[in-house]
Amino acid sequence: MKRLRFTSCMAFLVNGMLAVMTGTIITYLVRDYGISQAAAGRMVAAQSVGNLIMVLLSGFIIQLIGRKKSLLLFPILFAVGFGGVAFVNNEFALYILMVLTGLGWGLCNNILNIIMMESGGGISTLYTCYAAGSFLGPFFVVAVTGFGLSWKAAVISVAVLSLALLPGFAGVKTSSAALAGEKLSRKDFAFLKNPRYYICNILYFGYIGVEVAVNSWIITYLTQSGLLSEKMAQTMFSVFWLIIIFIRLFVGACMKRFDRANLLICQWIGLAAALTALILCDRSIVSVVILIIMAVFMAAISPVNAENADEFIKGKGISGGIMFAVGCVGSTILPMIVGSLADSAGITAGMWVIAGVMYAMVAVCIVNIAMKRRS
């Protein structure tokens, strides 16, 4: 089990690197392959589409081929999809490769959440590794190109790291909770009759949407509002993610002492209040302090959200896959809404939308607590 946990954490580290590096290498694809920026944007969208498709289907795929083969499949999808970008400059082929990368991303997310949840712990460590990979990915590209090597060397390195996961997964035993080829019954879809399942879906939609929206627009807001210079905003964003990494480790060590639903609502209240304070703030030093507070409250929402929905993530992966797919929809819709408002009414209006979603999640958390107590 220790080997499985370690390899799973390394897989999430690679997943985090890959997810962020996709955006980092877009500049190089435009420059070296001669594709348009619009085409590059479609490639990122293709990866998101692949992710969405897989999180919807992953539960059925795990059921069809079993957990062991699922664990071996997603590193191959990572290696072929992401690594192939270094060798192919055809626009249509790049779309296909990005879809494959997204498919690997979705399968990785579902199967490893199931395994870590059923192992009785480690979910916070898993998400910490993803955050660490997200933080390290851009720096890895900068380091590789700084040594005079091509960006392709960084991409190939991540593909090799993906393949290096295979021996780790090949030598482990997995739970028989989902046997390959086992037929599904009505009992496997009983979660659809549980009202709290839909509350957990809304919480996933809100959190992943908020996280992606904050990551996408916080630097723009800080610079356009005049609170921080572009360089300082970039630096603070790096500090923001460093804090998230360390707080997730801390929460993972003490999370069992607290009720998940109560902890979740406290985090949403703190995050919503912090973002509101940031929007109303007009001093640079104060904004830096508020950003640190935001990181503290935002850090553990992801693992606590997963623990709050553990009864739906465990098992055959169908209910969890649907939930992750709903989160993917949130990560697509909310940043687009913020961007549209930023164009028409200014970036501050977009930030108020994010804050509004946060307060809506507080309301949903109240319902979640009531349902948990009732059950």
Side-chain angles (χ1 to χ4, degrees):
M1 182 56 72
K2 287 184 178 180
R3 180 175 178 176
L4 179 57
R5 284 189 179 184
F6 175 78
T7 310
S8 297
C9 287
M10 291 302 99
F12 248 52
L13 179 77
V14 173
N15 193 6
M17 291 181 68
L18 183 150
V20 176
M21 282 175 62
T22 299
T24 306
I25 66 170
I26 284 297
T27 303
Y28 299 107
L29 294 178
V30 173
R31 184 194 69 187
D32 296 348
Y33 289 171
I35 62 175
S36 66
Q37 291 190 23
R42 288 193 292 270
M43 287 173 194
V44 176
Q47 187 182 67
S48 298
V49 168
N51 182 26
L52 180 58
I53 291 171
M54 182 55 84
V55 290
L56 278 171
L57 298 180
S58 56
F60 299 98
I61 291 174
I62 294 168
Q63 186 70 16
L64 180 65
I65 66 176
R67 291 186 177 181
K68 186 67 166 286
K69 292 180 181 178
S70 298
L71 287 171
L72 297 174
L73 177 58
F74 79 76
I76 295 173
L77 290 170
F78 279 167
V80 174
F82 199 62
V85 173
F87 300 98
V88 176
N89 61 7
N90 177 269
E91 186 175 318
F92 180 75
L94 287 169
Y95 290 143
I96 300 300
L97 292 173
M98 284 298 181
V99 169
L100 290 177
T101 305
L103 292 173
W105 189 359
L107 183 57
C108 171
N109 192 31
N110 198 2
I111 184 68
L112 295 188
N113 268 279
I114 294 170
I115 287 172
M116 294 299 277
M117 197 68 71
E118 291 185 352
S119 70
I123 196 73
S124 185
T125 305
L126 190 72
Y127 282 95
T128 300
C129 289
Y130 182 88
S134 300
F135 177 77
L136 292 172
F139 289 104
F140 181 60
V141 176
V142 170
V144 169
T145 54
F147 279 110
L149 299 173
S150 169
W151 60 272
K152 295 180 180 180
V155 171
I156 294 170
S157 297
V158 172
V160 172
L161 286 174
S162 301
L163 292 176
L165 298 170
L166 291 174
F169 284 131
V172 298
K173 293 182 178 180
T174 58
S175 167
S176 59
L179 299 175
E182 183 182 353
K183 291 184 178 180
L184 295 171
S185 64
R186 287 186 177 182
K187 185 179 178 181
D188 295 317
F189 295 92
F191 62 89
L192 293 172
K193 297 180 180 179
N194 189 332
R196 206 175 79 80
Y197 175 69
Y198 299 97
I199 293 297
C200 291
N201 272 269
I202 295 171
L203 288 171
Y204 260 92
F205 177 92
Y207 173 69
I208 299 180
V210 164
E211 183 180 81
V212 174
V214 169
N215 289 342
S216 302
W217 293 105
I218 192 69
I219 293 176
T220 302
Y221 174 73
L222 291 170
T223 53
Q224 288 189 6
S225 64
L227 286 171
L228 299 176
S229 65
E230 186 174 342
K231 185 176 181 180
M232 184 62 180
Q234 292 281 2
T235 301
M236 281 309 303
F237 188 64
S238 297
V239 172
F240 185 86
W241 270 97
L242 271 178
I243 293 170
I244 286 177
I245 291 169
F246 287 113
I247 293 296
R248 281 184 179 175
L249 285 172
F250 172 76
V251 170
C254 63
M255 186 160 47
K256 291 183 179 180
R257 302 178 185 178
F258 302 96
D259 180 83
R260 313 301 197 267
N262 291 334
L263 187 57
L264 192 60
I265 193 172
C266 289
Q267 290 169 313
W268 274 116
I269 290 172
L271 184 59
L275 182 58
T276 300
L278 182 65
I279 297 170
L280 298 175
C281 172
D282 59 0
R283 295 187 179 184
S284 298
I285 296 177
V286 177
S287 70
V288 169
V289 175
I290 293 172
L291 277 171
I292 293 172
I293 295 172
M294 276 186 65
V296 170
F297 282 108
M298 184 169 147
I301 293 182
S302 189
V304 175
N305 214 19
E307 288 282 358
N308 177 65
D310 61 346
E311 64 192 274
F312 304 116
I313 295 175
K314 292 176 182 178
K316 297 181 178 179
I318 298 170
S319 56
I322 294 172
M323 208 153 44
F324 298 141
V326 170
C328 289
V329 173
S331 71
T332 303
I333 292 176
L334 187 54
M336 287 176 59
I337 294 173
V338 174
S340 298
L341 272 174
D343 282 338
S344 60
I347 186 62
T348 302
M351 298 305 289
W352 276 120
V353 169
I354 300 176
V357 173
M358 292 177 180
Y359 284 111
M361 290 304 104
V362 173
V364 175
C365 283
I366 294 173
V367 178
N368 178 56
I369 292 171
M371 285 185 170
K372 288 200 78 171
R373 288 178 178 175
R374 194 180 303 166
S375 61

